[in-house]
Amino acid sequence: QVQLVESGGGLVQAGGSLRLSCAASGRTFSGFGMGWFRQVPGKEREFVTAISWSGGSTYYADAVRGRFTISRDNAKNTVYLQMNSLKPEDTAVYLCAAGLLLTPTQFLRAPFYAYWGQGTQVTVSS
């Protein structure tokens, strides 16, 4: 099965930037739609952004649109999340996910992703 490992999280001041990476192994990366979700204690997993397997379609939550950018490099089996203008409310564990044959609405819903990483902590200080 697919294994996903996130990296790039850390502590940053409000207004700063971070770039997260998600490296996939175990199966071919090609063909998988990829998403980023975030989670804080006591809250449901929240959709952040997603990208189709070809990179031709991207999706963003309203809270991050214009500040975050998702991209992928299938040759490197890696998806990226560039986060700019970070806010304290962006603080969360960020998780990478992979799924096959996702429709536009399914990209936005966690249950449709078959594989998940362990997450990387992002903390934004004010």
Side-chain angles (χ1 to χ4, degrees):
Q1 61 179 19
V2 174
Q3 297 181 17
L4 305 174
V5 180
E6 303 94 336
S7 62
L11 176 64
V12 64
Q13 293 183 338
S17 298
L18 285 173
R19 189 177 79 153
L20 307 184
S21 298
C22 174
S25 63
R27 296 180 65 182
T28 179
F29 190 68
S30 298
F32 285 88
M34 302 294 298
W36 287 96
F37 293 75
R38 63 189 183 186
Q39 190 165 22
V40 299
K43 297 288 187 179
E44 294 294 320
R45 195 163 294 175
E46 177 189 12
F47 170 77
V48 178
T49 183
I51 188 168
S52 63
W53 74 269
S54 68
S57 299
T58 57
Y59 309 86
Y60 294 94
D62 290 343
V64 306
R65 197 185 315 275
R67 299 187 297 120
F68 291 9
T69 303
I70 189 171
S71 61
R72 68 189 297 164
D73 185 341
N74 289 345
K76 296 181 178 180
N77 290 338
T78 302
V79 63
Y80 305 96
L81 178 60
Q82 179 66 46
M83 304 185 294
N84 298 326
S85 301
L86 282 162
K87 305 174 180 179
E89 51 262 44
D90 295 319
T91 296
V93 173
Y94 282 72
L95 302 106
C96 177
L100 284 170
L101 301 175
L102 301 180
T103 68
T105 56
Q106 289 172 339
F107 271 112
L108 314 182
R109 303 287 183 262
F112 293 98
Y113 291 83
Y115 303 100
W116 293 85
Q118 294 182 339
T120 185
Q121 177 70 46
V122 172
T123 302
V124 184
S125 62
S126 60

